[in-house]
Amino acid sequence: MMYGYAGYVLKVDLTKGKVIKEELKRELIQKFLGGRGFGAKTLFDELAPGVDPLSPQNIIIFAVGPFTGTLVPKGCKYSVISKSPMTNCYGDSEGGGFFGPELKYAGFDMIVIYGASEKPVYLWINDGRAEIRDASNLWGKSTFETTELIQEELGDKSIKVACIGPAGENLVRYACICNDLYRQAGRTGMGAVMGSKKLKAVAVRGTGEIKIAKPDEFLELAKEALKKTLEMPATKMLREQGTLLQIMASNEWGVLPTRNFQDGVFELAERLSAQYAIEHLFVKARACFGCPVACGHVRYVKSGKYKGALNEGPEYELTAMLGSNCGIGSLECVIKAAQLCDELGLDGISTGNVIGFAMECYERGILTDKDTGGLKLNFGNEEALLEVIRKIASREGIGDLLAEGVKRAAEKLGKGAEDIAVHVKGLELPAYDARGSMGTALGFAIADIGGSHCRSWTMGPEISKGIRFEVAGKAEMVRDSIRARTLPDILGFCRFCLLDFNTYAKLLTAITGTEYKASDLMEVTDRVYTLTRAFNVREGITRQQDTLPKRVLTEPLKQGPTKGVYVKKEDLDKMISEFYKLYGWNENGVPREETLRKLSLEDVLESLKSIGKIPS
């Protein structure tokens, strides 16, 4: 009996049109626990170095954790893991909603997908059985249409669907995977990987149960965890305001990306705020599976030129990147833009970053009317914003260039465009200006997936303690934040309103029947993060790529509490060296032999030795 797990892995070969059901290996559970841990290890073991992320040789993995689908508060998450077409190195993304629990109830902890189909297909999983079905009628459809059509075809509205839109089909490098209509696994281009395989969707229906080793003890622990979560001030704030509460905070902190990160203060921030949304646009709060927080706010535009626009959100990141970063001060317009991104299957963070970049290029003359097809891509042009989103998804005109992401677009444009492209390792930075806190700067620079806040977030604590511009101690802060944010992705729960490691260890012990301590869980997070670093080292990532955009390293911010601030290269280098030392990596960011042995990653050690990354 595998308590806490479905106990099976589904392997799908799209080239051969075959599906195989295998037992989940206990060694995988013991070392990696679930979710992102399962996926990272499988990707490292089964993917050869140097594979093109958009080739049939790449693999894509869906995985859930032992908390997914249980009574653990917010146990809703699933992970998608693959080699990223954004960075050409390790990539993953996490999705909420109801898809993850449904996959587990259907009898699987992981799906590993190989090869590529010659024609569009979708994967149908129903209570332990799976088949590959024709999706020719779905190709070209939006994510909303795809979900509805699959449910109609299979005759069950309760089926959960994770699918791509036209952006994924057209291999937009930052295409995302959408499930439950308004939940996205975004950032690292997992939708493009699905598109390259002609895999339109994964549809799941499950009626199974999850066996718990100590049900009575687990129930009491889950009740206690729920009580603690409900008592958190952050829970109340997120339920009442959603993540848009961060708009005014970031503006006051001087870190709200404005006009392609040229500034950290936006004069129209109040028009994008949670308070404005509550007064003019709010319909209701909506929660993912098992979530007491309900941070998803449904918003509807009742009048004006965007009348009828509806979105569960947009949340903070999309609002900042499609709003202030593009000089847009209309939440109504941003709702319409977010709706388009959801329907077309675009990561809204990267989309807003790329369009902000294009707008600055246009205003500097790097892009001309001839390049844009006549679109006036000035900051604040709402109609241009919406049109470019459509063009990106279809790779039409200027959209074909921007679909490549800001790094590749800047390299193709030249003329100084690379100096204003805001990314790390090819992944566009999210909605926090790294000049606003040294911990944020370090976290972005060393993140295994590129410029992402999903790996660590230290800005709030740094600001509350008055230490955001200090260098000392930031490596430890980032390391601790990485541990805290890696654990949810492994166990399968949401990163919002986190409890302590001791609580999670007790819950995991009750679920699985295996004794876990907080230190055991920390070790697993370190093992997974070191494993993904080893994957990137194998793909050619060195210390040289652990850096920040030129804008962040050389251009001071212009106003507010961050006026005159930029990240000094020597400060960044010092923090990176300290971070490497904490993780047991050498000065070039390669995990040391003794570190890999300590973390029981001997096979990873041998792999790096075989290609000369670690001396034999």
Side-chain angles (χ1 to χ4, degrees), residues 37-68:
F38 284 177
K41 178 58 171 163
T42 302
L43 189 72
F44 189 95
D45 288 349
E46 300 203 22
L47 190 69
V51 166
D52 183 339
L54 297 179
S55 72
Q57 287 71 43
N58 197 9
I59 63 175
I60 188 167
I61 302 157
F62 290 73
V64 295
F67 285 8
T68 307

PDB file of all heavy atoms in Angstrom, residues 37-68:
ATOM      1  N   GLY A  37       9.731  17.363  -7.565  1.00  0.00           N
ATOM      2  CA  GLY A  37      10.824  16.430  -7.300  1.00  0.00           C
ATOM      3  C   GLY A  37      10.804  15.251  -8.238  1.00  0.00           C
ATOM      4  O   GLY A  37      11.833  14.873  -8.819  1.00  0.00           O
ATOM      5  N   PHE A  38       9.614  14.640  -8.411  1.00  0.00           N
ATOM      6  CA  PHE A  38       9.476  13.528  -9.363  1.00  0.00           C
ATOM      7  C   PHE A  38       9.892  13.957 -10.764  1.00  0.00           C
ATOM      8  O   PHE A  38      10.620  13.266 -11.473  1.00  0.00           O
ATOM      9  CB  PHE A  38       8.023  13.047  -9.407  1.00  0.00           C
ATOM     10  CG  PHE A  38       7.593  12.208  -8.241  1.00  0.00           C
ATOM     11  CD1 PHE A  38       6.275  11.764  -8.160  1.00  0.00           C
ATOM     12  CD2 PHE A  38       8.462  11.848  -7.228  1.00  0.00           C
ATOM     13  CE1 PHE A  38       5.845  10.977  -7.101  1.00  0.00           C
ATOM     14  CE2 PHE A  38       8.052  11.062  -6.157  1.00  0.00           C
ATOM     15  CZ  PHE A  38       6.734  10.634  -6.093  1.00  0.00           C
ATOM     16  N   GLY A  39       9.382  15.140 -11.167  1.00  0.00           N
ATOM     17  CA  GLY A  39       9.624  15.598 -12.531  1.00  0.00           C
ATOM     18  C   GLY A  39      11.068  15.930 -12.799  1.00  0.00           C
ATOM     19  O   GLY A  39      11.615  15.594 -13.861  1.00  0.00           O
ATOM     20  N   ALA A  40      11.723  16.601 -11.837  1.00  0.00           N
ATOM     21  CA  ALA A  40      13.121  16.988 -12.032  1.00  0.00           C
ATOM     22  C   ALA A  40      14.011  15.757 -12.179  1.00  0.00           C
ATOM     23  O   ALA A  40      14.897  15.716 -13.036  1.00  0.00           O
ATOM     24  CB  ALA A  40      13.585  17.852 -10.860  1.00  0.00           C
ATOM     25  N   LYS A  41      13.779  14.746 -11.344  1.00  0.00           N
ATOM     26  CA  LYS A  41      14.592  13.536 -11.419  1.00  0.00           C
ATOM     27  C   LYS A  41      14.334  12.779 -12.721  1.00  0.00           C
ATOM     28  O   LYS A  41      15.270  12.301 -13.377  1.00  0.00           O
ATOM     29  CB  LYS A  41      14.280  12.642 -10.218  1.00  0.00           C
ATOM     30  CG  LYS A  41      15.040  11.312 -10.202  1.00  0.00           C
ATOM     31  CD  LYS A  41      16.544  11.490 -10.230  1.00  0.00           C
ATOM     32  CE  LYS A  41      17.247  10.155  -9.998  1.00  0.00           C
ATOM     33  NZ  LYS A  41      18.668  10.210 -10.403  1.00  0.00           N
ATOM     34  N   THR A  42      13.090  12.671 -13.120  1.00  0.00           N
ATOM     35  CA  THR A  42      12.745  11.971 -14.355  1.00  0.00           C
ATOM     36  C   THR A  42      13.345  12.684 -15.563  1.00  0.00           C
ATOM     37  O   THR A  42      13.874  12.047 -16.487  1.00  0.00           O
ATOM     38  CB  THR A  42      11.218  11.852 -14.493  1.00  0.00           C
ATOM     39  OG1 THR A  42      10.689  11.170 -13.352  1.00  0.00           O
ATOM     40  CG2 THR A  42      10.835  11.095 -15.750  1.00  0.00           C
ATOM     41  N   LEU A  43      13.271  14.003 -15.573  1.00  0.00           N
ATOM     42  CA  LEU A  43      13.829  14.772 -16.691  1.00  0.00           C
ATOM     43  C   LEU A  43      15.334  14.579 -16.772  1.00  0.00           C
ATOM     44  O   LEU A  43      15.890  14.370 -17.860  1.00  0.00           O
ATOM     45  CB  LEU A  43      13.490  16.256 -16.521  1.00  0.00           C
ATOM     46  CG  LEU A  43      13.826  17.156 -17.710  1.00  0.00           C
ATOM     47  CD1 LEU A  43      12.874  16.897 -18.873  1.00  0.00           C
ATOM     48  CD2 LEU A  43      13.781  18.629 -17.312  1.00  0.00           C
ATOM     49  N   PHE A  44      16.014  14.650 -15.630  1.00  0.00           N
ATOM     50  CA  PHE A  44      17.464  14.476 -15.627  1.00  0.00           C
ATOM     51  C   PHE A  44      17.853  13.094 -16.140  1.00  0.00           C
ATOM     52  O   PHE A  44      18.788  12.945 -16.931  1.00  0.00           O
ATOM     53  CB  PHE A  44      18.031  14.680 -14.218  1.00  0.00           C
ATOM     54  CG  PHE A  44      19.535  14.737 -14.172  1.00  0.00           C
ATOM     55  CD1 PHE A  44      20.197  15.953 -14.206  1.00  0.00           C
ATOM     56  CD2 PHE A  44      20.294  13.577 -14.112  1.00  0.00           C
ATOM     57  CE1 PHE A  44      21.586  16.017 -14.188  1.00  0.00           C
ATOM     58  CE2 PHE A  44      21.683  13.620 -14.095  1.00  0.00           C
ATOM     59  CZ  PHE A  44      22.329  14.851 -14.134  1.00  0.00           C
ATOM     60  N   ASP A  45      17.120  12.082 -15.702  1.00  0.00           N
ATOM     61  CA  ASP A  45      17.463  10.701 -16.063  1.00  0.00           C
ATOM     62  C   ASP A  45      17.157  10.367 -17.514  1.00  0.00           C
ATOM     63  O   ASP A  45      17.894   9.616 -18.155  1.00  0.00           O
ATOM     64  CB  ASP A  45      16.699   9.718 -15.169  1.00  0.00           C
ATOM     65  CG  ASP A  45      17.221   9.691 -13.741  1.00  0.00           C
ATOM     66  OD1 ASP A  45      18.294  10.268 -13.490  1.00  0.00           O
ATOM     67  OD2 ASP A  45      16.539   9.101 -12.883  1.00  0.00           O
ATOM     68  N   GLU A  46      16.076  10.917 -18.061  1.00  0.00           N
ATOM     69  CA  GLU A  46      15.572  10.423 -19.344  1.00  0.00           C
ATOM     70  C   GLU A  46      15.828  11.350 -20.527  1.00  0.00           C
ATOM     71  O   GLU A  46      15.592  10.953 -21.672  1.00  0.00           O
ATOM     72  CB  GLU A  46      14.077  10.127 -19.224  1.00  0.00           C
ATOM     73  CG  GLU A  46      13.776   9.066 -18.163  1.00  0.00           C
ATOM     74  CD  GLU A  46      12.457   8.376 -18.395  1.00  0.00           C
ATOM     75  OE1 GLU A  46      11.965   8.380 -19.545  1.00  0.00           O
ATOM     76  OE2 GLU A  46      11.910   7.824 -17.423  1.00  0.00           O
ATOM     77  N   LEU A  47      16.298  12.572 -20.269  1.00  0.00           N
ATOM     78  CA  LEU A  47      16.534  13.502 -21.374  1.00  0.00           C
ATOM     79  C   LEU A  47      18.030  13.635 -21.631  1.00  0.00           C
ATOM     80  O   LEU A  47      18.805  13.946 -20.725  1.00  0.00           O
ATOM     81  CB  LEU A  47      15.939  14.879 -21.060  1.00  0.00           C
ATOM     82  CG  LEU A  47      15.912  15.854 -22.244  1.00  0.00           C
ATOM     83  CD1 LEU A  47      14.902  15.401 -23.291  1.00  0.00           C
ATOM     84  CD2 LEU A  47      15.581  17.262 -21.775  1.00  0.00           C
ATOM     85  N   ALA A  48      18.427  13.408 -22.856  1.00  0.00           N
ATOM     86  CA  ALA A  48      19.835  13.555 -23.224  1.00  0.00           C
ATOM     87  C   ALA A  48      20.227  15.026 -23.251  1.00  0.00           C
ATOM     88  O   ALA A  48      19.407  15.895 -23.567  1.00  0.00           O
ATOM     89  CB  ALA A  48      20.085  12.929 -24.595  1.00  0.00           C
ATOM     90  N   PRO A  49      21.485  15.348 -22.923  1.00  0.00           N
ATOM     91  CA  PRO A  49      21.943  16.742 -22.983  1.00  0.00           C
ATOM     92  C   PRO A  49      21.849  17.307 -24.401  1.00  0.00           C
ATOM     93  O   PRO A  49      22.004  16.585 -25.385  1.00  0.00           O
ATOM     94  CB  PRO A  49      23.412  16.656 -22.537  1.00  0.00           C
ATOM     95  CG  PRO A  49      23.515  15.377 -21.769  1.00  0.00           C
ATOM     96  CD  PRO A  49      22.539  14.441 -22.419  1.00  0.00           C
ATOM     97  N   GLY A  50      21.580  18.605 -24.488  1.00  0.00           N
ATOM     98  CA  GLY A  50      21.614  19.295 -25.769  1.00  0.00           C
ATOM     99  C   GLY A  50      20.382  19.160 -26.631  1.00  0.00           C
ATOM    100  O   GLY A  50      20.367  19.633 -27.769  1.00  0.00           O
ATOM    101  N   VAL A  51      19.322  18.556 -26.129  1.00  0.00           N
ATOM    102  CA  VAL A  51      18.100  18.364 -26.919  1.00  0.00           C
ATOM    103  C   VAL A  51      17.400  19.706 -27.145  1.00  0.00           C
ATOM    104  O   VAL A  51      17.298  20.533 -26.231  1.00  0.00           O
ATOM    105  CB  VAL A  51      17.152  17.373 -26.207  1.00  0.00           C
ATOM    106  CG1 VAL A  51      15.752  17.417 -26.797  1.00  0.00           C
ATOM    107  CG2 VAL A  51      17.719  15.956 -26.287  1.00  0.00           C
ATOM    108  N   ASP A  52      16.931  19.934 -28.350  1.00  0.00           N
ATOM    109  CA  ASP A  52      16.123  21.118 -28.661  1.00  0.00           C
ATOM    110  C   ASP A  52      14.789  20.992 -27.917  1.00  0.00           C
ATOM    111  O   ASP A  52      14.080  19.995 -28.075  1.00  0.00           O
ATOM    112  CB  ASP A  52      15.869  21.189 -30.171  1.00  0.00           C
ATOM    113  CG  ASP A  52      15.089  22.433 -30.589  1.00  0.00           C
ATOM    114  OD1 ASP A  52      14.402  23.037 -29.748  1.00  0.00           O
ATOM    115  OD2 ASP A  52      15.153  22.793 -31.775  1.00  0.00           O
ATOM    116  N   PRO A  53      14.423  21.996 -27.096  1.00  0.00           N
ATOM    117  CA  PRO A  53      13.182  21.894 -26.325  1.00  0.00           C
ATOM    118  C   PRO A  53      11.926  21.702 -27.169  1.00  0.00           C
ATOM    119  O   PRO A  53      10.936  21.160 -26.680  1.00  0.00           O
ATOM    120  CB  PRO A  53      13.132  23.223 -25.570  1.00  0.00           C
ATOM    121  CG  PRO A  53      14.548  23.660 -25.481  1.00  0.00           C
ATOM    122  CD  PRO A  53      15.180  23.211 -26.765  1.00  0.00           C
ATOM    123  N   LEU A  54      11.962  22.141 -28.427  1.00  0.00           N
ATOM    124  CA  LEU A  54      10.773  22.025 -29.284  1.00  0.00           C
ATOM    125  C   LEU A  54      10.884  20.866 -30.276  1.00  0.00           C
ATOM    126  O   LEU A  54      10.120  20.790 -31.227  1.00  0.00           O
ATOM    127  CB  LEU A  54      10.538  23.342 -30.019  1.00  0.00           C
ATOM    128  CG  LEU A  54      10.234  24.548 -29.117  1.00  0.00           C
ATOM    129  CD1 LEU A  54      10.044  25.811 -29.934  1.00  0.00           C
ATOM    130  CD2 LEU A  54       9.000  24.289 -28.252  1.00  0.00           C
ATOM    131  N   SER A  55      11.798  19.952 -30.005  1.00  0.00           N
ATOM    132  CA  SER A  55      11.936  18.761 -30.846  1.00  0.00           C
ATOM    133  C   SER A  55      11.184  17.589 -30.226  1.00  0.00           C
ATOM    134  O   SER A  55      10.884  17.594 -29.029  1.00  0.00           O
ATOM    135  CB  SER A  55      13.407  18.391 -31.002  1.00  0.00           C
ATOM    136  OG  SER A  55      13.905  17.846 -29.784  1.00  0.00           O
ATOM    137  N   PRO A  56      10.892  16.553 -31.009  1.00  0.00           N
ATOM    138  CA  PRO A  56      10.222  15.364 -30.461  1.00  0.00           C
ATOM    139  C   PRO A  56      11.033  14.671 -29.373  1.00  0.00           C
ATOM    140  O   PRO A  56      10.477  13.922 -28.566  1.00  0.00           O
ATOM    141  CB  PRO A  56      10.069  14.451 -31.684  1.00  0.00           C
ATOM    142  CG  PRO A  56      10.106  15.368 -32.861  1.00  0.00           C
ATOM    143  CD  PRO A  56      11.049  16.467 -32.475  1.00  0.00           C
ATOM    144  N   GLN A  57      12.348  14.928 -29.311  1.00  0.00           N
ATOM    145  CA  GLN A  57      13.193  14.266 -28.315  1.00  0.00           C
ATOM    146  C   GLN A  57      12.977  14.805 -26.905  1.00  0.00           C
ATOM    147  O   GLN A  57      13.313  14.142 -25.925  1.00  0.00           O
ATOM    148  CB  GLN A  57      14.672  14.411 -28.702  1.00  0.00           C
ATOM    149  CG  GLN A  57      15.100  13.542 -29.873  1.00  0.00           C
ATOM    150  CD  GLN A  57      14.522  14.028 -31.201  1.00  0.00           C
ATOM    151  OE1 GLN A  57      14.512  15.233 -31.475  1.00  0.00           O
ATOM    152  NE2 GLN A  57      14.023  13.099 -32.016  1.00  0.00           N
ATOM    153  N   ASN A  58      12.432  16.010 -26.798  1.00  0.00           N
ATOM    154  CA  ASN A  58      12.132  16.536 -25.468  1.00  0.00           C
ATOM    155  C   ASN A  58      10.984  15.743 -24.854  1.00  0.00           C
ATOM    156  O   ASN A  58      10.181  15.127 -25.573  1.00  0.00           O
ATOM    157  CB  ASN A  58      11.765  18.012 -25.547  1.00  0.00           C
ATOM    158  CG  ASN A  58      11.838  18.723 -24.196  1.00  0.00           C
ATOM    159  OD1 ASN A  58      12.320  18.169 -23.200  1.00  0.00           O
ATOM    160  ND2 ASN A  58      11.367  19.950 -24.155  1.00  0.00           N
ATOM    161  N   ILE A  59      10.915  15.729 -23.541  1.00  0.00           N
ATOM    162  CA  ILE A  59       9.794  15.087 -22.857  1.00  0.00           C
ATOM    163  C   ILE A  59       9.104  16.131 -21.986  1.00  0.00           C
ATOM    164  O   ILE A  59       9.694  17.152 -21.620  1.00  0.00           O
ATOM    165  CB  ILE A  59      10.238  13.882 -22.007  1.00  0.00           C
ATOM    166  CG1 ILE A  59      11.189  14.307 -20.880  1.00  0.00           C
ATOM    167  CG2 ILE A  59      10.877  12.808 -22.872  1.00  0.00           C
ATOM    168  CD1 ILE A  59      11.572  13.178 -19.947  1.00  0.00           C
ATOM    169  N   ILE A  60       7.846  15.882 -21.672  1.00  0.00           N
ATOM    170  CA  ILE A  60       7.099  16.770 -20.778  1.00  0.00           C
ATOM    171  C   ILE A  60       6.392  15.901 -19.740  1.00  0.00           C
ATOM    172  O   ILE A  60       5.866  14.830 -20.061  1.00  0.00           O
ATOM    173  CB  ILE A  60       6.119  17.674 -21.547  1.00  0.00           C
ATOM    174  CG1 ILE A  60       5.501  18.713 -20.601  1.00  0.00           C
ATOM    175  CG2 ILE A  60       5.059  16.885 -22.297  1.00  0.00           C
ATOM    176  CD1 ILE A  60       4.769  19.842 -21.334  1.00  0.00           C
ATOM    177  N   ILE A  61       6.422  16.361 -18.505  1.00  0.00           N
ATOM    178  CA  ILE A  61       5.979  15.567 -17.367  1.00  0.00           C
ATOM    179  C   ILE A  61       4.933  16.338 -16.569  1.00  0.00           C
ATOM    180  O   ILE A  61       5.121  17.525 -16.271  1.00  0.00           O
ATOM    181  CB  ILE A  61       7.184  15.241 -16.454  1.00  0.00           C
ATOM    182  CG1 ILE A  61       8.267  14.495 -17.231  1.00  0.00           C
ATOM    183  CG2 ILE A  61       6.742  14.439 -15.228  1.00  0.00           C
ATOM    184  CD1 ILE A  61       9.649  14.629 -16.625  1.00  0.00           C
ATOM    185  N   PHE A  62       3.844  15.679 -16.218  1.00  0.00           N
ATOM    186  CA  PHE A  62       2.861  16.203 -15.279  1.00  0.00           C
ATOM    187  C   PHE A  62       2.991  15.391 -13.996  1.00  0.00           C
ATOM    188  O   PHE A  62       3.011  14.155 -14.052  1.00  0.00           O
ATOM    189  CB  PHE A  62       1.437  16.053 -15.822  1.00  0.00           C
ATOM    190  CG  PHE A  62       1.102  16.941 -16.989  1.00  0.00           C
ATOM    191  CD1 PHE A  62       1.623  16.693 -18.249  1.00  0.00           C
ATOM    192  CD2 PHE A  62       0.256  18.033 -16.831  1.00  0.00           C
ATOM    193  CE1 PHE A  62       1.316  17.502 -19.342  1.00  0.00           C
ATOM    194  CE2 PHE A  62      -0.062  18.848 -17.912  1.00  0.00           C
ATOM    195  CZ  PHE A  62       0.476  18.584 -19.169  1.00  0.00           C
ATOM    196  N   ALA A  63       3.069  16.061 -12.852  1.00  0.00           N
ATOM    197  CA  ALA A  63       3.259  15.319 -11.604  1.00  0.00           C
ATOM    198  C   ALA A  63       2.527  16.003 -10.449  1.00  0.00           C
ATOM    199  O   ALA A  63       2.419  17.231 -10.399  1.00  0.00           O
ATOM    200  CB  ALA A  63       4.744  15.193 -11.272  1.00  0.00           C
ATOM    201  N   VAL A  64       2.023  15.185  -9.537  1.00  0.00           N
ATOM    202  CA  VAL A  64       1.368  15.691  -8.329  1.00  0.00           C
ATOM    203  C   VAL A  64       2.120  15.177  -7.106  1.00  0.00           C
ATOM    204  O   VAL A  64       2.964  14.285  -7.202  1.00  0.00           O
ATOM    205  CB  VAL A  64      -0.108  15.263  -8.261  1.00  0.00           C
ATOM    206  CG1 VAL A  64      -0.895  15.889  -9.402  1.00  0.00           C
ATOM    207  CG2 VAL A  64      -0.245  13.738  -8.304  1.00  0.00           C
ATOM    208  N   GLY A  65       1.798  15.733  -5.942  1.00  0.00           N
ATOM    209  CA  GLY A  65       2.487  15.356  -4.726  1.00  0.00           C
ATOM    210  C   GLY A  65       1.575  14.674  -3.727  1.00  0.00           C
ATOM    211  O   GLY A  65       0.367  14.554  -3.948  1.00  0.00           O
ATOM    212  N   PRO A  66       2.123  14.250  -2.583  1.00  0.00           N
ATOM    213  CA  PRO A  66       1.321  13.540  -1.581  1.00  0.00           C
ATOM    214  C   PRO A  66       0.243  14.393  -0.924  1.00  0.00           C
ATOM    215  O   PRO A  66      -0.717  13.856  -0.369  1.00  0.00           O
ATOM    216  CB  PRO A  66       2.366  13.077  -0.558  1.00  0.00           C
ATOM    217  CG  PRO A  66       3.545  13.975  -0.761  1.00  0.00           C
ATOM    218  CD  PRO A  66       3.550  14.310  -2.213  1.00  0.00           C
ATOM    219  N   PHE A  67       0.375  15.713  -0.960  1.00  0.00           N
ATOM    220  CA  PHE A  67      -0.675  16.577  -0.402  1.00  0.00           C
ATOM    221  C   PHE A  67      -1.789  16.854  -1.412  1.00  0.00           C
ATOM    222  O   PHE A  67      -2.891  17.245  -1.031  1.00  0.00           O
ATOM    223  CB  PHE A  67      -0.079  17.917   0.050  1.00  0.00           C
ATOM    224  CG  PHE A  67       0.704  17.865   1.341  1.00  0.00           C
ATOM    225  CD1 PHE A  67       0.989  16.659   1.959  1.00  0.00           C
ATOM    226  CD2 PHE A  67       1.161  19.036   1.925  1.00  0.00           C
ATOM    227  CE1 PHE A  67       1.723  16.617   3.143  1.00  0.00           C
ATOM    228  CE2 PHE A  67       1.886  19.009   3.103  1.00  0.00           C
ATOM    229  CZ  PHE A  67       2.176  17.791   3.720  1.00  0.00           C
ATOM    230  N   THR A  68      -1.500  16.686  -2.691  1.00  0.00           N
ATOM    231  CA  THR A  68      -2.484  16.999  -3.734  1.00  0.00           C
ATOM    232  C   THR A  68      -3.748  16.166  -3.552  1.00  0.00           C
ATOM    233  O   THR A  68      -3.680  14.943  -3.412  1.00  0.00           O
ATOM    234  CB  THR A  68      -1.907  16.714  -5.134  1.00  0.00           C
ATOM    235  OG1 THR A  68      -0.662  17.391  -5.289  1.00  0.00           O
ATOM    236  CG2 THR A  68      -2.875  17.170  -6.220  1.00  0.00           C
TER     237      THR A  68
END
